[in-house]
Amino acid sequence: MSEVISRRKSVGVMVGDVQVGGDAPIVVQSMTNTDTADIEKTVRQVAELWRAGSEIVRITVDRDEAAAAVPHIRDRLMAMNVNVPWSGTFTISAISFWPTILPAPKLWQNIASIRAMWALRPSAIRSSRK
């Protein structure tokens, strides 16, 4: 006997051109396991995940070197026509470089979303996107 599982009601949000939540179908999401500062490995893995069917790919930005790699990763993925929305997940140890990267909207162009761990208030992210 099969059991129907009901979904919790949520508000849909767009991550790039992919809707997550709301009435949207379940989305395949992946997260790289590379050192984001290693540009070549991260680009290769994001592209592989996209080709395998991932609809959103997340990367970890946990220190200054990883943050510095983000625009290079973006540029290489764009050159390869890898059009998967991707997001940066920031950790508590990354707080030291937030003042440097938040005011730089060009750095985050083409990155679908920024996910921050509990250490950063969401209002700080919203105000940086103006």
Side-chain angles (χ1 to χ4, degrees):
M1 180 185 332
S2 65
E3 182 180 332
V4 176
I5 299 172
S6 62
R7 291 176 64 177
R8 180 180 63 84
K9 290 197 183 273
S10 64
V11 175
V13 296
M14 298 302 290
V15 179
D17 59 354
V18 177
Q19 182 177 341
V20 178
D23 294 328
I26 294 172
V27 175
V28 177
Q29 299 183 48
S30 302
M31 185 159 192
T32 61
N33 64 358
T34 59
D35 174 358
T36 304
D38 187 331
I39 297 165
E40 293 303 320
K41 283 184 181 175
T42 302
V43 166
R44 185 171 42 248
Q45 192 168 83
V46 169
E48 289 170 356
L49 290 166
W50 176 65
R51 287 186 193 107
S54 187
E55 297 171 86
I56 298 172
V57 178
R58 296 189 331 252
I59 63 170
T60 298
V61 182
D62 57 355
R63 62 190 197 286
D64 294 346
E65 294 82 6
V70 169
H72 303 288
I73 293 167
R74 178 203 59 214
D75 293 346
R76 291 192 187 173
L77 290 170
M78 289 175 66
M80 296 167 60
N81 290 318
V82 173
N83 297 313
V84 63
W86 54 294
S87 67
T89 300
F90 295 84
T91 61
I92 182 87
S93 61
I95 296 305
S96 67
F97 60 76
W98 275 103
T100 306
I101 61 175
L102 282 179
K106 276 190 163 183
L107 175 67
W108 302 111
Q109 188 178 24
N110 300 315
I111 297 179
S113 71
I114 299 174
R115 298 166 52 108
M117 299 305 206
W118 62 269
L120 186 69
R121 295 184 323 274
S123 61
I125 296 172
R126 280 194 298 278
S127 66
S128 72
R129 291 185 171 178
K130 290 181 181 176

